[in-house]
Amino acid sequence: MVFTHHPLDLPPDDGHPVPTRAQARLPEWIDRLSVDLFLAGHLHRSRALLGPFRARARRRAVFAQAGTATSDRHSGYGNAFNFIRAAADALLIEHWHADVPGTEFVARGGARFARAADGWQSA
């Protein structure tokens, strides 16, 4: 597992930049070091995707971004966090949101992943 502030990979249709030196190291981290899960924030929104998108690796890894849990700097997405359930061969990433400050967080979507021969796949 790798934790960063800035996402190290994003889909091609996302215009946000990714750190170029880290992006260049992704194939090594995914293929040689067998990193399965990359966690990031910075963009203040929740999502979990298979990647890498902007680098080439033989294996697929999971890239999850968390929303902003306790701040009003959340780009219009409300406060949010991810709850991750992990097993040797499965990952469940639940997105929890509170659209109005001071209200309860509720589960709103997420993603399931299963280990495959080439890393991870959607389940």
Side-chain angles (χ1 to χ4, degrees):
M1 209 179 310
V2 172
F3 299 87
T4 62
H5 176 75
H6 291 270
L8 300 184
D9 194 42
L10 292 168
D13 61 348
D14 189 312
H16 291 93
V18 296
T20 55
R21 283 188 284 191
Q23 183 182 355
R25 301 296 301 263
L26 280 178
E28 176 187 1
W29 294 341
I30 295 170
D31 293 335
R32 190 172 71 77
L33 301 178
S34 300
V35 174
D36 290 318
L37 180 60
F38 293 84
L39 303 173
H42 184 66
L43 299 180
H44 306 279
R45 63 180 154 180
S46 301
R47 63 180 165 186
L49 306 164
L50 288 171
F53 297 98
R54 300 182 188 188
R56 289 208 164 107
R58 291 184 306 277
R59 295 178 61 248
R60 308 266 292 162
V62 176
F63 290 80
Q65 293 174 302
T68 303
T70 59
S71 171
D72 60 2
R73 290 187 57 217
H74 46 65
S75 306
Y77 290 100
N79 289 334
F81 66 91
N82 289 335
F83 186 82
I84 300 170
R85 299 172 195 264
D89 60 353
L91 286 171
L92 169 62
I93 301 174
E94 297 176 337
H95 306 306
W96 287 74
H97 294 262
D99 290 333
V100 177
T103 62
E104 290 185 20
F105 285 91
V106 295
R108 186 175 308 143
R112 292 179 183 272
F113 303 96
R115 189 176 298 279
D118 63 345
W120 292 89
Q121 64 185 10
S122 296

